[in-house]
Amino acid sequence: MRTFSIVLADDEPQILHGMLGGIPWEQLGFSVAATAGNGQEALEYVQKLHPDLLISDIKMPFLDGLELARILHDALMHIKIVLFSGWDDFEYARRAISYGVSEYVLKPIDFEEMQQLLSKLHAELEEEYDFRTNRQRQEKIYQQSLPLLRQQFFTQLLQGKITQEYAAQQMELLDLSFTYPAYAVALMQTQNNEDILTQISVQQIVEEMLGKVCTVYSFGMYEQTVYLLGLPDTNSSRLILKSLEEAAHMSQRMLKAKFSCGLGLCCDTWMQLETAYAQAKDALEYNVVAKEDVITYYGDVTPNNRAQEPDWTCLLEPLELAVKHGNTEEISGEVKKLLEAIQKHKYSFNEYQLIILDIIFSLSKLYRRYQIQEEDGLAGSKHMVMRILSLRTGEELNNWLYNYCDFTSRSIQKQQTDQNAILANQARDYVDNHFSQPDLSVETMCQLFNVSASHFSKVFRREIGTSFLNYLTQRRLDEAARLLTETEEKSRVIGEMVGYPEPNYFSYVFKKNRGVSPAKYRKQEQANA
């Protein structure tokens, strides 16, 4: 029997204590991961722990149970929810059903009935996990993969190998209605150590989560899975990223499997899908090096949104990847492999010079892509031509190519580091000047700076040294402490001034972080003055 995780939430400590001690959780196949005394705390635990089940009271401070269920429903959280209440209200029950709540229980709680309910929910969870992990189902999915004709058409479409007229004809023949307001391409790759059936289950989870927010066409291409997305509008990127992040949590929790995914920018017509695919490929390429990343959005890792440069030859692709994301040793290794392959053809020195010059000009496109100023002598086009043509030996050419690749790599890394620092500092400055806004959050910052939540949170923590929420909370509390010490304003007014319009929640957060209530803190400061 599997063990499923639970978060319990109730503002009455005696009820929480009674549930913890009065229900044989382990015998029923559950483990209580956390308990919360209010709705806000319960939301934080669910977002952090991703439990299988949430059991919550409806009437709670700061965030009631129905609003908590709505937030989890809107965030596409894959979780069962049980709400209990002392009110036999049809409207409550109706709203609970609309938010995906599994059960609505009336108080007082009958522990025998609660055990029966938990047994029922455990059976439902077991059935769902069996459904996700059943090997026969995985075998059936494998046999029922997308038809070969559609896969061939999608591959040709994304590679730009067919005309618009031919593409339109094929769409009609294959019953594909490409009339969406916007499009995007996501590219997914599972870890190499996953067996084929697990890989297919991961692919299905990703497709299911994406299908909640858009139309999905999925197919295999070069050992990767391509998700061609039909969107309601060109501003759907954040919703797609949220769906992919939840799919990653589900894959890890249910299958113990991980995947990497790259998402390109949204485009207006299917004729731009070739560019969107190239962007998704570039974003996934970033994941191969940045192992901590699971999902990468093209707009987060590339400073501008220009169309992708044409694909390099098979020999130049590994070198470009090493220049963009690798270290000195990796760059040296790729340059060596490239030169060895070229030298096998026994070119004359003049021919060899021209080949090296072509390689340099191909790599110089990275300067435009990453908006690097061509100030150094290595970067100037005229200087490059004159310098390469002045070299007299193959060894000199080889050394110049290596130095150029190393210099380009260091320039790219410096540019990316500078951009991350700018983003984090701008965000910190914005918090310092606007922390009094009650609705200030990671989501509002992401909308302001046009980045994804995962990228913003990672950059802010790395550059500032703490999470965004911790920094915002401490900034508010520092100002509150100053106002409590230097002014006679009431705690309620001070809470509103620093971004906490709800007095009880302000007192709760202040005491949780400072150890005493605002009123007691003021008395202590006055006594120490």
Side-chain angles (χ1 to χ4, degrees), residues 470-481:
N470 285 341
Y471 184 84
L472 173 60
T473 301
Q474 293 307 316
R475 185 65 184 87
R476 286 172 166 171
L477 295 183
D478 287 344
E479 180 64 10

Side-chain angles (χ1 to χ4, degrees), residues 15-35:
I15 293 181
L16 277 179
H17 181 74
M19 285 196 296
L20 281 173
I23 296 176
W25 298 103
E26 293 186 1
Q27 294 180 22
L28 295 170
F30 290 97
S31 172
V32 179
T35 60

Side-chain angles (χ1 to χ4, degrees), residues 2 82 127 136 150 175 193 200 227 229 254 263 266 310 325 328 335 377 402 432 441 502:
R2 294 184 178 93
V82 174
E127 183 179 355
Q136 291 182 349
R150 275 196 173 189
D175 194 25
N193 58 351
I200 293 172
Y227 296 94
L229 312 177
M254 293 183 174
L263 176 65
C266 295
H325 307 302
T328 300
V335 170
Y402 169 76
D432 291 342
S441 65
E502 168 57 49

Side-chain angles (χ1 to χ4, degrees), residues 403-428:
N403 290 335
Y404 180 82
C405 291
D406 184 64
F407 171 81
T408 303
S409 178
R410 285 186 282 108
S411 298
I412 290 173
Q413 293 171 11
K414 181 178 183 300
Q415 181 76 353
Q416 291 180 325
T417 301
D418 291 345
Q419 289 169 348
N420 288 340
I422 290 171
L423 171 62
N425 288 330
Q426 286 178 339
R428 178 173 59 185

Side-chain angles (χ1 to χ4, degrees), residues 179-184 233-234 265-273:
T179 57
Y180 304 100
Y183 302 84
D233 55 64
T234 55
L265 301 174
C266 295
C267 56
D268 296 323
T269 70
W270 59 263
M271 293 176 286
Q272 297 172 312
L273 285 172

